Amino acid sequence: MAQIMIVLDATVVNIALPSLQRDLGISDGDRQWIITAYTLAFGSLLLLGGRIADYTGRKRTFLIALIGFAGASALGGAAGDFEMLLIARALQGAFGALLGPSTLSLLTVTFTEPKDRAKAFGVWGAIAGAGGAIGLLAGGALTDYLDWRWCLYVNIPIAAIAAIGGSAVLTESRREGRARFDIPGVLLVTGGLVSVVYATSRAESDGWGSATVIGLFAAGAALLGAFALVESRVAQPLLPLRVIASRTRGGAYLAVGLAVIGMFGAFLFMTYYMQIVKGYSPIRTGVAFLPMATAVLVSAGGLTTRLLPRVQPRMLIVPGMLIGSAAMLWMLTLEPGTSYARGVLVVQLLFGLGAGMIMPVAINYATHGVDQGDSGVASASVNTAQQIGGSIGTALLNTIATSATADYLASHASHGMDPAIAKQALVDGFATASAWAAGIILVGALIVAVVMNTPRPEHQAVAEDAEPAGAAESAEPLPAHP
């Protein structure tokens, strides 16, 4: 329930964006901040949330985060202007940063048997992949039949059910020792990530070569570099470098982060394509996203969970990323008159197939092989990759799309305010941004293919059995054959 709510909230507002944008008078350049405020707050505070869960108790953190998330959702639903909605979305992200790692770390420490773990992460990965499309469907129904505000109010009953169930069935677990939090690390990583994401959003209005944008990128890089330096020297780092130094976990984090760039871009562009260009209602748009959710579930449950114990992880992740890249390239074929079956449906089926091959595998390997005391921060790291990838991807691709749309309109100014030209300008912007997304995912697939050289699980088990006594203890454990 908690994972559904986390993923749903990253996309449920997408369908409502055109409606709330008109209602609150939000500009095209600022609309992406409704998404980014949530994902950025979520992603930049996740590492701290993971450490809080490790030291103060994962069940306690889970229950507190559910209550806070529900309260922030109520505030957003009652928002009367853009600023209040932005604050509510940021608060949702902050409580989500507590909820995400506590949820995944509870899963990690609860399911330790290989067979149970494989099933648990198969379900988890399917929800992570399909939850976005489910959120779009729910957003369409709520916006059409009630109001866009119910896209936020819907979290209240979900959080209540999860809190009741969690208090009844979950057991407490925490890391031994006195809690000490790396506050300099929190400030550095948060400042660096905010600077980078804000730079990409400012590029739409100021231009990529402006002093402001370049300065923000430089500041972000400097802060993140300082964060890495601090983490290598403090006694209890926010993010122990041993967690991300593994080629297996590092490759998994990279796969998740780059895959969601295309996923969030596809959600955003297809939503506006169907509602603004094709004239779909919110509920029809939500229903039109069902094939993607179905493809993710079939791919994750019917294909990936069967192959995961038998092949190297990159043998699933890399093809999945290549299929995702192909889905974004298919966006280039869309025109205002393109039919649903020949255009959007193909994109969704391809992306659903690819996401179902990426997410369960990457999330499984992203948390495997770490000490139980680091399970919270390892869980936070994969969530950080997902949320920051979504933040940067949404800001970057929205900036590219709006810039390309503006250029198209400027070059066709002689036609006046022709509605057909305006629709073609939107489609041209989506195509340009989709081409960039396809390239980013393709580069990511090549990097993962080189970096993530993890052997098949049964080969790893054989190798460990053949090692001298004590040698296997230092080896990084991998998912066992279910």
Side-chain angles (χ1 to χ4, degrees):
M1 293 296 288
Q3 175 67 353
I4 286 174
M5 188 171 68
I6 290 170
V7 180
L8 182 147
D9 246 73
T11 58
V12 70
V13 178
N14 280 56
I15 290 286
L17 266 179
S19 299
L20 71 85
Q21 186 177 354
R22 290 191 300 268
D23 193 11
L24 300 181
I26 303 171
S27 69
D28 286 346
D30 286 338
R31 70 188 177 198
Q32 53 93 11
W33 280 107
I34 303 301
I35 308 299
T36 305
Y38 172 79
T39 56
L40 181 57
F42 196 159
S44 60
L45 295 174
L46 268 166
L47 296 175
L48 177 62
R51 272 301 182 224
I52 291 173
D54 281 336
Y55 280 110
T56 64
R58 299 177 180 101
K59 178 180 178 179
R60 178 187 299 176
T61 305
F62 175 80
L63 297 176
I64 292 173
L66 283 171
I67 296 171
F69 200 99
S73 299
L75 177 65
D81 53 38
F82 174 59
E83 289 75 17
M84 183 179 291
L85 181 58
L86 209 60
I87 292 170
R89 291 289 283 168
L91 285 173
Q92 278 186 308
F95 283 107
L98 288 175
L99 185 61
S102 62
T103 305
L104 186 54
S105 59
L106 280 167
L107 190 77
T108 301
V109 300
T110 300
F111 297 99
T112 56
E113 292 296 323
K115 186 176 181 180
D116 291 340
R117 183 180 174 90
K119 289 181 180 179
F121 277 92
V123 173
W124 181 270
I127 292 173
I134 294 171
L136 293 168
L137 174 62
L142 293 169
T143 302
D144 234 19
Y145 295 125
L146 295 172
D147 186 76
W148 65 262
R149 299 178 185 278
W150 281 95
C151 293
L152 297 164
Y153 289 145
V154 71
N155 291 314
I156 299 173
I158 296 176
I161 295 170
I164 293 170
S167 62
V169 303
L170 293 176
T171 56
E172 186 61 281
S173 65
R174 61 169 57 86
R175 180 171 180 163
E176 297 298 326
R178 188 168 63 89
R180 294 178 60 187
F181 299 110
D182 176 20
I183 301 303
V186 173
L187 297 176
L188 287 170
V189 72
T190 302
L193 293 173
V194 170
S195 182
V196 170
V197 175
Y198 187 52
T200 59
S201 67
R202 283 295 297 267
E204 189 271 329
S205 58
D206 297 356
W208 292 99
S210 73
T212 300
V213 171
I214 293 174
L216 286 169
F217 275 124
L223 289 169
L224 293 176
F227 170 72
L229 181 63
V230 167
E231 298 309 281
S232 67
R233 299 190 175 188
V234 297
Q236 294 191 12
L238 177 67
L239 175 60
L241 297 184
R242 62 180 178 271
V243 172
I244 60 174
S246 160
R247 293 178 68 165
T248 297
R249 290 191 294 272
Y253 300 150
L254 183 66
V256 170
L258 294 180
V260 298
I261 289 179
M263 189 179 298
F264 275 55
F267 287 155
L268 183 65
F269 300 150
M270 283 193 288
T271 297
Y272 273 86
Y273 175 79
M274 287 189 281
Q275 288 197 46
I276 304 301
V277 178
K278 303 295 288 184
Y280 287 12
S281 67
I283 183 60
R284 186 180 178 186
T285 304
V287 171
F289 272 105
L290 276 178
M292 178 183 285
T294 304
V296 172
L297 294 173
V298 171
S299 176
L303 174 67
T304 302
T305 55
R306 294 172 183 268
L307 294 178
L308 178 58
R310 298 176 174 84
V311 300
Q312 293 177 282
R314 64 181 174 183
M315 297 302 292
L316 289 168
I317 292 176
V318 172
M321 295 184 76
L322 293 177
I323 294 171
S325 180
M328 297 310 297
L329 288 175
W330 195 266
M331 291 280 289
L332 275 65
T333 68
L334 298 185
E335 297 291 340
T338 303
S339 68
Y340 172 79
R342 192 166 60 85
V344 170
L345 179 61
V346 177
V347 176
Q348 291 189 36
L349 293 177
L350 287 173
F351 223 112
L353 175 61
M357 296 173 68
I358 297 168
M359 301 306 288
V361 184
I363 292 175
N364 193 338
Y365 280 86
T367 58
H368 224 62
V370 296
D371 295 332
Q372 182 170 325
D374 287 332
S375 63
V377 74
S379 303
S381 296
V382 67
N383 276 293
T384 299
Q386 185 174 353
Q387 298 301 326
I388 293 302
S391 297
I392 294 176
T394 302
L396 174 64
L397 297 179
N398 185 71
T399 297
I400 294 172
T402 53
S403 297
T405 296
D407 291 343
Y408 187 95
L409 290 173
S411 65
H412 292 76
S414 60
H415 293 81
M417 297 299 293
D418 186 345
I421 295 295
K423 290 183 178 181
Q424 185 60 52
L426 283 175
V427 172
D428 188 76
F430 298 157
T432 302
S434 296
W436 276 87
I440 291 170
I441 299 173
L442 179 60
V443 171
L446 296 175
I447 296 173
V448 171
V450 173
V451 170
M452 201 173 186
N453 61 344
T454 314
R456 295 190 317 190
E458 60 262 33
H459 283 193
Q460 176 72 9
V462 170
E464 290 180 0
D465 288 342
E467 288 177 348
E473 295 177 3
S474 62
E476 179 186 358
L478 293 169
H481 198 309

